[in-house]
Amino acid sequence: MSEFDASRRRVLKTGAIAGAGMALPTIFTASSAAAFTNEPTGGTVTLGFNVPQTGPYADEGADELRAYELAVEHLNGGGDGGMMNTFSSKALQGNGILGKKVEYVTGDTQTKSDAARASAKSMIEKDGAVMITGGSSSGVAIAVQGLCQEAGVIFMAGLTHSNDTTGKDKKANGFRHFFNGYMSGAALAPVLKNLYGTDRTAYHLTADYTWGWTQEESIAAATEALGWNTVNKVRTPLAATDFSSYIAPVLNSGADVLVLNHYGGNMVNSLTNAVQFGLRDKVVNGKNFEIVVPLYSRLMAKGAGANVKGIHGSTNWHWTLQDEGSKAFVKSFGTKYGFPPSQAAHTTYCQTLLYADAVERAGTFNPCGVAGALEGFEFDGLGNGKTLYRAEDHQCFKDVLVVRGKENPTSEFDLLEVVEVTPRAQVEYAPDHPMFAGGQLGSCNPGA
């Protein structure tokens, strides 16, 4: 717990609430006098921070919570203000949101959709949360986004990389700042072509849920467009910890590239197993065997240690960026916690500020007013260059980073280096792109 205003943090434990796969009602109640769900009536407003505090993505969740605490501190006028000072919008004044002091509750998604829905539902119904944010799994994000649409509150997604979040499963009450699988493919393909050529044979190991499926589709399409051949695509359980049985067949497949569509602890374990099997020392088809990790993070690199050296992937943001917003955030976060923030922390901090700013610009907490303020909103000063929250699907478009594991890191935090900043224009796509087809954004639901 942080030192500031500790009494305002009410920790929500979700284990008992989630139960063992209990049925989750989707009917929400609101006062007949309220204009919308959980309209704040006193001097405070409550936000719900729903992150993986246990499970394979727990490291990401811990950093998300740190960033949320920092954002609340800045919104309430504490600290140095961080990216509020560099944000192109100047609506936030450090006096809370619309003059109301920001409080928050937390929940543990456990990287499970039913647990995440249960904790979000409790924060909305029992704690009066007017906005839910967080998550490090696309399965969780899609489930909670649907719940928030039903409940009549805004959902500001945390880490969710599946194309479906702002594709077939998009919702009018949901917004995503994080990039997606298509963008990773668009950023990575030219770099992989320059590094490894156009005559390659790829083998995919893929986390068996919505994120893995759409990342696999995106990376395979982008590399096949270069001339690469995809020899196999194998799905692996999210709960897996030992990937040896999945790595062994790669050796006899004829593949000379392994694509690990894994994240968090899954990627740490699968990459470790791949190195243990000697894949990085192999020569196949007359070429050095290569491994690609399309979605990367510093926290994953730390877990995998020396195994990440020279391995390429993409990331949403990195603490070494030198724009004013990134430097301000790194300074604030580092001062508070003693180490640099991850892309998970950056995403959730930005989402909190973007929500608060939209409320201020709209002059209301009504989710339909907030949605209207976010749709088509273009801004700068939060890292990654000029950013657009597209109205048609509520997806953010900004620069995407291609990174690789450093050969000679100088510290436990200096593990990745940015090899290319891919401009926003290169990763944009039409709202009706086939990878994002199906589903309708629908109409904003105020809930009451």
Side-chain angles (χ1 to χ4, degrees):
M1 185 175 294
S2 67
E3 69 277 11
F4 82 98
D5 202 9
S7 64
R8 290 191 175 273
R9 179 175 180 182
R10 305 195 302 279
V11 179
L12 174 67
K13 300 295 184 184
T14 63
I17 299 168
M22 62 177 284
L24 298 174
T26 56
I27 298 174
F28 292 82
T29 59
S31 168
S32 58
F36 52 89
T37 300
N38 292 337
E39 180 178 10
T41 56
T44 63
V45 60
T46 300
L47 308 181
F49 300 152
N50 203 25
V51 305
Q53 298 182 50
T54 56
Y57 295 169
D59 285 348
E60 310 284 338
D63 230 30
E64 288 181 326
L65 276 184
R66 295 182 189 106
Y68 282 135
E69 289 192 3
L70 184 63
V72 169
E73 182 175 359
H74 290 165
L75 289 172
N76 286 335
D80 62 8
M83 286 200 286
M84 283 172 51
N85 300 315
T86 61
F87 190 13
S88 57
S89 174
K90 301 303 178 186
L92 298 172
Q93 302 299 316
N95 61 344
I97 308 175
L98 289 183
K100 297 181 184 293
K101 184 147 187 163
V102 181
E103 295 184 345
Y104 64 97
V105 290
T106 70
D108 181 7
T109 70
Q110 304 173 39
T111 318
K112 298 176 181 177
S113 296
D114 59 347
R117 281 177 62 97
S119 60
K121 183 175 184 291
S122 182
M123 286 188 276
I124 294 166
E125 291 194 336
K126 296 181 180 179
D127 299 292
V130 73
M131 182 270 277
I132 301 295
T133 178
S136 291
S137 155
S138 290
V140 162
I142 288 168
V144 175
Q145 179 170 257
L147 181 98
C148 289
Q149 180 70 35
E150 298 163 6
V153 300
I154 290 290
F155 176 63
M156 301 294 283
L159 267 67
T160 168
H161 193 242
S162 171
N163 293 340
D164 291 346
T165 307
T166 46
K168 71 178 182 65
D169 295 308
K170 58 184 175 288
K171 301 294 183 186
N173 283 45
F175 293 83
R176 170 163 61 177
H177 181 266
F178 206 64
F179 70 146
N180 58 45
Y182 174 91
M183 295 177 180
S184 285
L188 272 173
V191 175
L192 297 178
K193 177 181 178 180
N194 291 337
L195 287 169
Y196 308 136
T198 58
D199 181 23
R200 283 285 184 166
T201 301
Y203 192 112
H204 287 251
L205 288 181
T206 300
D208 192 14
Y209 74 105
T210 178
W211 166 66
W213 307 332
T214 66
Q215 176 167 282
E216 177 190 271
E217 178 188 25
S218 299
I219 302 301
T223 53
E224 287 169 8
L226 302 178
W228 289 27
N229 175 50
T230 303
V231 70
N232 207 354
K233 298 175 179 177
V234 177
R235 305 287 169 84
T236 63
L238 183 60
T241 55
D242 185 350
F243 293 86
S244 300
S245 62
Y246 297 100
I247 299 294
V250 179
L251 295 167
N252 300 313
S253 68
D256 47 49
V257 177
L258 173 62
V259 181
L260 292 177
N261 299 302
H262 290 154
Y263 194 72
N266 287 165
M267 174 270 183
V268 170
N269 292 329
S270 63
L271 177 60
T272 299
N273 290 155
V275 172
Q276 289 170 341
F277 270 77
L279 285 184
R280 299 196 72 184
D281 301 321
K282 299 291 183 183
V283 175
V284 181
N285 305 325
K287 309 174 185 71
N288 291 333
F289 195 98
E290 303 292 349
I291 300 175
V292 178
V293 178
L295 180 58
Y296 233 145
S297 80
R298 176 179 59 78
L299 297 176
M300 289 158 55
K302 181 180 179 181
N307 294 331
V308 303
K309 291 183 178 182
I311 288 181
H312 287 75
S314 66
T315 194
N316 190 64
W317 177 87
H318 195 257
W319 67 272
T320 59
L321 289 176
Q322 291 302 298
D323 62 277
E324 292 305 310
S326 294
K327 290 194 293 185
F329 178 53
V330 170
K331 179 176 180 292
S332 292
F333 192 97
T335 298
K336 186 173 181 67
Y337 298 112
F339 49 85
S342 64
Q343 67 170 351
H346 173 258
T347 298
T348 54
Y349 179 93
C350 289
Q351 284 287 66
T352 309
L353 260 58
L354 285 164
Y355 170 78
D357 173 78
V359 172
E360 291 284 355
R361 290 186 292 108
T364 180
F365 288 98
N366 187 311
C368 296
V370 176
L374 285 169
E375 289 178 341
F377 179 48
E378 188 159 21
F379 56 91
D380 204 346
L382 298 185
N384 300 84
K386 290 184 178 179
T387 305
L388 170 69
Y389 244 133
R390 187 161 67 181
E392 290 87 348
D393 52 10
H394 297 181
Q395 173 65 53
C396 264
F397 290 93
K398 54 189 182 296
D399 296 345
V400 171
L401 310 181
V402 177
V403 296
R404 69 174 166 229
K406 292 191 77 168
E407 294 289 349
N408 298 296
T410 59
S411 74
E412 63 177 308
F413 308 108
D414 181 39
L415 303 176
L416 299 176
E417 57 186 340
V418 178
V419 298
E420 183 164 315
V421 177
T422 306
R424 169 176 141 187
Q426 186 176 318
V427 301
E428 290 178 328
Y429 53 87
D432 61 352
H433 187 284
M435 287 187 187
F436 298 84
Q440 298 293 326
L441 191 65
S443 301
C444 172
N445 176 24

